CSV table of all heavy atoms in Angstrom, one decimal:
chain,number,residue,atom,x,y,z
A,1,VAL,N,2.7,-9.4,2.1
A,1,VAL,CA,1.5,-8.9,1.4
A,1,VAL,C,1.8,-8.4,0.0
A,1,VAL,O,2.8,-7.7,-0.1
A,1,VAL,CB,0.9,-7.6,2.3
A,1,VAL,CG1,-0.3,-7.0,1.5
A,1,VAL,CG2,0.6,-8.0,3.7
A,2,THR,N,1.2,-9.0,-1.0
A,2,THR,CA,1.6,-8.6,-2.3
A,2,THR,C,0.5,-8.0,-3.2
A,2,THR,O,0.7,-7.4,-4.2
A,2,THR,CB,1.9,-10.0,-3.1
A,2,THR,OG1,0.8,-10.9,-3.0
A,2,THR,CG2,3.2,-10.6,-2.5
A,3,ASP,N,-0.8,-7.9,-2.7
A,3,ASP,CA,-1.8,-7.3,-3.5
A,3,ASP,C,-2.9,-6.9,-2.5
A,3,ASP,O,-3.8,-7.7,-2.1
A,3,ASP,CB,-2.4,-8.3,-4.5
A,3,ASP,CG,-3.4,-7.6,-5.4
A,3,ASP,OD1,-3.3,-6.4,-5.6
A,3,ASP,OD2,-4.2,-8.3,-6.0
A,4,LEU,N,-2.9,-5.6,-2.2
A,4,LEU,CA,-3.9,-5.1,-1.2
A,4,LEU,C,-4.2,-3.6,-1.6
A,4,LEU,O,-3.3,-2.8,-1.8
A,4,LEU,CB,-3.3,-5.1,0.2
A,4,LEU,CG,-4.3,-4.7,1.3
A,4,LEU,CD1,-5.5,-5.7,1.4
A,4,LEU,CD2,-3.5,-4.7,2.6
A,5,GLY,N,-5.5,-3.4,-1.8
A,5,GLY,CA,-5.9,-2.0,-2.2
A,5,GLY,C,-5.9,-1.1,-1.0
A,5,GLY,O,-5.9,-1.6,0.2
A,6,PRO,N,-6.0,0.2,-1.2
A,6,PRO,CA,-6.1,1.1,0.0
A,6,PRO,C,-7.3,0.9,0.7
A,6,PRO,O,-8.4,0.6,0.2
A,6,PRO,CB,-6.0,2.5,-0.7
A,6,PRO,CG,-6.5,2.3,-2.1
A,6,PRO,CD,-6.1,0.9,-2.5
A,7,PRO,N,-7.3,1.3,2.0
A,7,PRO,CA,-8.5,1.1,2.8
A,7,PRO,C,-9.6,2.1,2.3
A,7,PRO,O,-9.3,3.2,1.7
A,7,PRO,CB,-8.1,1.6,4.2
A,7,PRO,CG,-6.6,1.5,4.2
A,7,PRO,CD,-6.1,1.7,2.8
A,8,GLN,N,-10.9,1.7,2.4
A,8,GLN,CA,-12.0,2.6,1.9
A,8,GLN,C,-12.0,3.9,2.6
A,8,GLN,O,-12.4,4.9,1.9
A,8,GLN,CB,-13.3,1.8,2.1
A,8,GLN,CG,-13.4,0.5,1.3
A,8,GLN,CD,-13.5,0.8,-0.2
A,8,GLN,OE1,-14.1,1.8,-0.6
A,8,GLN,NE2,-12.7,0.1,-0.9
A,9,TRP,N,-11.6,4.0,3.8
A,9,TRP,CA,-11.7,5.3,4.5
A,9,TRP,C,-10.6,6.3,4.2
A,9,TRP,O,-10.6,7.4,4.5
A,9,TRP,CB,-11.6,5.0,6.1
A,9,TRP,CG,-10.4,4.2,6.5
A,9,TRP,CD1,-10.4,2.9,6.7
A,9,TRP,CD2,-9.1,4.7,6.7
A,9,TRP,NE1,-9.1,2.5,7.0
A,9,TRP,CE2,-8.3,3.6,7.1
A,9,TRP,CE3,-8.5,6.0,6.6
A,9,TRP,CZ2,-6.9,3.7,7.4
A,9,TRP,CZ3,-7.1,6.1,6.9
A,9,TRP,CH2,-6.4,5.0,7.3
A,10,MET,N,-9.6,5.8,3.4
A,10,MET,CA,-8.4,6.7,3.2
A,10,MET,C,-8.8,7.8,2.2
A,10,MET,O,-9.4,7.5,1.1
A,10,MET,CB,-7.3,5.8,2.6
A,10,MET,CG,-6.0,6.5,2.5
A,10,MET,SD,-4.6,5.3,2.1
A,10,MET,CE,-4.2,4.8,3.7
A,11,PRO,N,-8.3,9.0,2.4
A,11,PRO,CA,-8.6,10.1,1.5
A,11,PRO,C,-8.0,9.9,0.2
A,11,PRO,O,-7.0,9.1,0.0
A,11,PRO,CB,-7.9,11.3,2.2
A,11,PRO,CG,-7.8,11.0,3.6
A,11,PRO,CD,-7.7,9.5,3.7
A,12,GLU,N,-8.5,10.5,-0.9
A,12,GLU,CA,-8.1,10.3,-2.3
A,12,GLU,C,-6.6,10.5,-2.5
A,12,GLU,O,-6.0,9.6,-3.1
A,12,GLU,CB,-8.9,11.2,-3.2
A,12,GLU,CG,-8.6,11.0,-4.6
A,12,GLU,CD,-9.3,11.9,-5.6
A,12,GLU,OE1,-10.3,12.6,-5.1
A,12,GLU,OE2,-9.0,11.9,-6.8
A,13,ASP,N,-6.0,11.6,-2.0
A,13,ASP,CA,-4.6,11.8,-2.3
A,13,ASP,C,-3.7,10.7,-1.6
A,13,ASP,O,-2.7,10.1,-2.2
A,13,ASP,CB,-4.1,13.1,-1.7
A,13,ASP,CG,-4.6,14.3,-2.6
A,13,ASP,OD1,-4.8,14.1,-3.8
A,13,ASP,OD2,-4.7,15.4,-2.1
A,14,ALA,N,-4.1,10.2,-0.4
A,14,ALA,CA,-3.4,9.2,0.3
A,14,ALA,C,-3.6,7.8,-0.5
A,14,ALA,O,-2.6,7.1,-0.6
A,14,ALA,CB,-3.9,9.1,1.7
A,15,ALA,N,-4.8,7.6,-0.9
A,15,ALA,CA,-5.1,6.3,-1.7
A,15,ALA,C,-4.3,6.3,-3.0
A,15,ALA,O,-3.8,5.2,-3.4
A,15,ALA,CB,-6.6,6.2,-1.9
A,16,GLN,N,-4.1,7.4,-3.6
A,16,GLN,CA,-3.3,7.4,-4.8
A,16,GLN,C,-1.9,7.0,-4.5
A,16,GLN,O,-1.2,6.3,-5.3
A,16,GLN,CB,-3.4,8.8,-5.5
A,16,GLN,CG,-4.7,9.1,-6.2
A,16,GLN,CD,-4.8,10.5,-6.7
A,16,GLN,OE1,-3.9,11.3,-6.5
A,16,GLN,NE2,-5.9,10.8,-7.4
A,17,GLU,N,-1.3,7.5,-3.4
A,17,GLU,CA,0.0,7.2,-3.0
A,17,GLU,C,0.1,5.7,-2.7
A,17,GLU,O,1.1,5.0,-3.1
A,17,GLU,CB,0.5,8.0,-1.9
A,17,GLU,CG,2.0,7.8,-1.5
A,17,GLU,CD,3.0,8.2,-2.5
A,17,GLU,OE1,2.6,8.8,-3.5
A,17,GLU,OE2,4.2,7.8,-2.3
A,18,TRP,N,-0.9,5.1,-2.0
A,18,TRP,CA,-0.9,3.7,-1.8
A,18,TRP,C,-0.8,2.9,-3.1
A,18,TRP,O,-0.1,2.0,-3.2
A,18,TRP,CB,-2.2,3.4,-1.0
A,18,TRP,CG,-2.4,1.9,-0.7
A,18,TRP,CD1,-2.6,0.9,-1.5
A,18,TRP,CD2,-2.4,1.4,0.6
A,18,TRP,NE1,-2.8,-0.3,-0.8
A,18,TRP,CE2,-2.6,0.0,0.5
A,18,TRP,CE3,-2.3,1.9,1.9
A,18,TRP,CZ2,-2.7,-0.9,1.6
A,18,TRP,CZ3,-2.3,1.0,3.0
A,18,TRP,CH2,-2.6,-0.3,2.8
A,19,GLU,N,-1.6,3.3,-4.0
A,19,GLU,CA,-1.6,2.6,-5.3
A,19,GLU,C,-0.3,2.7,-6.1
A,19,GLU,O,0.0,1.9,-6.8
A,19,GLU,CB,-2.9,3.1,-6.1
A,19,GLU,CG,-4.2,2.6,-5.6
A,19,GLU,CD,-5.4,3.2,-6.2
A,19,GLU,OE1,-5.2,4.1,-7.1
A,19,GLU,OE2,-6.5,2.8,-5.8
A,20,ARG,N,0.4,3.8,-5.8
A,20,ARG,CA,1.7,4.0,-6.5
A,20,ARG,C,2.8,3.1,-5.8
A,20,ARG,O,3.6,2.5,-6.6
A,20,ARG,CB,2.1,5.5,-6.4
A,20,ARG,CG,3.4,5.8,-7.2
A,20,ARG,CD,3.8,7.3,-6.9
A,20,ARG,NE,4.4,7.5,-5.6
A,20,ARG,CZ,5.6,7.2,-5.3
A,20,ARG,NH1,6.4,6.6,-6.2
A,20,ARG,NH2,6.1,7.4,-4.1
A,21,VAL,N,2.8,3.1,-4.5
A,21,VAL,CA,3.9,2.3,-3.8
A,21,VAL,C,3.6,0.9,-3.6
A,21,VAL,O,4.6,0.1,-3.4
A,21,VAL,CB,4.3,3.1,-2.5
A,21,VAL,CG1,4.8,4.5,-2.8
A,21,VAL,CG2,3.3,3.1,-1.5
A,22,MET,N,2.4,0.5,-3.5
A,22,MET,CA,2.1,-0.9,-3.1
A,22,MET,C,2.7,-1.9,-4.2
A,22,MET,O,3.3,-2.9,-3.7
A,22,MET,CB,0.6,-1.1,-3.0
A,22,MET,CG,0.2,-2.5,-2.6
A,22,MET,SD,1.1,-3.0,-1.1
A,22,MET,CE,-0.2,-3.9,-0.2
A,23,PRO,N,2.7,-1.7,-5.5
A,23,PRO,CA,3.3,-2.6,-6.4
A,23,PRO,C,4.9,-2.7,-6.2
A,23,PRO,O,5.4,-3.7,-6.3
A,23,PRO,CB,3.0,-2.0,-7.8
A,23,PRO,CG,1.8,-1.2,-7.6
A,23,PRO,CD,1.9,-0.6,-6.2
A,24,ILE,N,5.5,-1.6,-5.8
A,24,ILE,CA,6.9,-1.6,-5.5
A,24,ILE,C,7.2,-2.4,-4.3
A,24,ILE,O,8.1,-3.3,-4.3
A,24,ILE,CB,7.4,-0.1,-5.2
A,24,ILE,CG1,7.2,0.8,-6.5
A,24,ILE,CG2,8.8,-0.1,-4.8
A,24,ILE,CD1,7.3,2.3,-6.3
A,25,LEU,N,6.4,-2.3,-3.2
A,25,LEU,CA,6.6,-3.0,-2.0
A,25,LEU,C,6.3,-4.5,-2.2
A,25,LEU,O,7.0,-5.4,-1.7
A,25,LEU,CB,5.8,-2.4,-0.9
A,25,LEU,CG,6.2,-1.0,-0.5
A,25,LEU,CD1,5.2,-0.5,0.5
A,25,LEU,CD2,7.7,-1.0,0.1
A,26,ALA,N,5.2,-4.8,-3.0
A,26,ALA,CA,4.9,-6.1,-3.3
A,26,ALA,C,5.9,-6.9,-4.0
A,26,ALA,O,6.2,-8.0,-3.8
A,26,ALA,CB,3.5,-6.1,-4.1
A,27,GLU,N,6.5,-6.2,-5.0
A,27,GLU,CA,7.6,-6.8,-5.8
A,27,GLU,C,8.8,-7.2,-5.0
A,27,GLU,O,9.4,-8.2,-5.1
A,27,GLU,CB,8.0,-5.8,-6.9
A,27,GLU,CG,9.1,-6.4,-7.8
A,27,GLU,CD,9.5,-5.4,-8.9
A,27,GLU,OE1,8.7,-4.6,-9.3
A,27,GLU,OE2,10.7,-5.5,-9.2
A,28,ARG,N,9.1,-6.4,-4.0
A,28,ARG,CA,10.2,-6.6,-3.1
A,28,ARG,C,9.9,-7.7,-2.0
A,28,ARG,O,10.8,-8.2,-1.4
A,28,ARG,CB,10.6,-5.3,-2.4
A,28,ARG,CG,11.2,-4.3,-3.3
A,28,ARG,CD,11.6,-3.1,-2.6
A,28,ARG,NE,11.9,-2.0,-3.5
A,28,ARG,CZ,11.9,-0.7,-3.2
A,28,ARG,NH1,11.7,-0.4,-1.9
A,28,ARG,NH2,12.2,0.2,-4.1
A,29,ARG,N,8.6,-8.0,-1.8
A,29,ARG,CA,8.2,-9.0,-0.8
A,29,ARG,C,8.7,-8.7,0.6
A,29,ARG,O,9.3,-9.6,1.2
A,29,ARG,CB,8.6,-10.4,-1.3
A,29,ARG,CG,7.9,-10.7,-2.7
A,29,ARG,CD,7.9,-12.2,-3.0
A,29,ARG,NE,7.3,-13.0,-2.0
A,29,ARG,CZ,6.0,-13.3,-1.9
A,29,ARG,NH1,5.2,-12.7,-2.8
A,29,ARG,NH2,5.5,-14.1,-1.0
A,30,ILE,N,8.6,-7.5,1.0
A,30,ILE,CA,9.1,-7.2,2.4
A,30,ILE,C,8.0,-6.6,3.3
A,30,ILE,O,8.2,-6.4,4.5
A,30,ILE,CB,10.2,-6.1,2.3
A,30,ILE,CG1,9.8,-4.8,1.6
A,30,ILE,CG2,11.5,-6.7,1.6
A,30,ILE,CD1,10.8,-3.7,1.7
A,31,LEU,N,6.8,-6.5,2.7
A,31,LEU,CA,5.7,-5.9,3.5
A,31,LEU,C,4.9,-7.0,4.1
A,31,LEU,O,4.3,-7.8,3.5
A,31,LEU,CB,4.8,-5.0,2.6
A,31,LEU,CG,3.8,-4.2,3.2
A,31,LEU,CD1,4.4,-3.0,4.0
A,31,LEU,CD2,2.9,-3.5,2.2
A,32,SER,N,4.9,-7.0,5.5
A,32,SER,CA,4.1,-8.0,6.2
A,32,SER,C,2.8,-7.3,6.7
A,32,SER,O,2.7,-6.0,6.7
A,32,SER,CB,4.9,-8.6,7.4
A,32,SER,OG,5.0,-7.6,8.4
A,33,VAL,N,1.9,-8.0,7.2
A,33,VAL,CA,0.7,-7.5,7.8
A,33,VAL,C,1.0,-6.5,8.9
A,33,VAL,O,0.4,-5.5,9.1
A,33,VAL,CB,-0.3,-8.6,8.3
A,33,VAL,CG1,-1.4,-8.1,9.1
A,33,VAL,CG2,-0.7,-9.5,7.1
A,34,ALA,N,2.1,-6.8,9.7
A,34,ALA,CA,2.5,-5.9,10.8
A,34,ALA,C,3.0,-4.6,10.3
A,34,ALA,O,3.0,-3.6,11.0
A,34,ALA,CB,3.6,-6.6,11.5
A,35,ASP,N,3.3,-4.5,9.0
A,35,ASP,CA,3.9,-3.2,8.4
A,35,ASP,C,2.8,-2.3,7.8
A,35,ASP,O,3.0,-1.2,7.4
A,35,ASP,CB,4.9,-3.5,7.3
A,35,ASP,CG,6.0,-4.3,7.9
A,35,ASP,OD1,6.5,-4.1,9.0
A,35,ASP,OD2,6.5,-5.2,7.1
A,36,LEU,N,1.5,-2.8,7.8
A,36,LEU,CA,0.5,-2.1,7.1
A,36,LEU,C,0.2,-0.7,7.8
A,36,LEU,O,-0.1,0.2,7.1
A,36,LEU,CB,-0.8,-2.9,7.0
A,36,LEU,CG,-0.7,-4.1,6.0
A,36,LEU,CD1,-2.0,-4.9,6.1
A,36,LEU,CD2,-0.4,-3.7,4.6
A,37,GLY,N,0.3,-0.7,9.1
A,37,GLY,CA,0.2,0.6,9.8
A,37,GLY,C,1.2,1.6,9.3
A,37,GLY,O,0.8,2.8,9.2
A,38,SER,N,2.4,1.2,9.1
A,38,SER,CA,3.4,2.2,8.7
A,38,SER,C,3.1,2.6,7.3
A,38,SER,O,3.3,3.8,6.9
A,38,SER,CB,4.8,1.5,8.7
A,38,SER,OG,5.2,1.3,10.0
A,39,LEU,N,2.6,1.7,6.4
A,39,LEU,CA,2.2,2.1,5.0
A,39,LEU,C,1.1,3.1,5.1
A,39,LEU,O,1.1,4.1,4.3
A,39,LEU,CB,1.9,0.9,4.2
A,39,LEU,CG,1.5,1.1,2.8
A,39,LEU,CD1,2.5,1.9,2.0
A,39,LEU,CD2,1.1,-0.2,2.1
């Protein structure tokens, strides 16, 4: 998974963290669909 925004239901503080770390994980290309729950 390389480009995915935070879920709509996610609270604002959590969504901000998603937006901060998602580019890091996307660059490393280690995040699969199965890992989205952990994220």
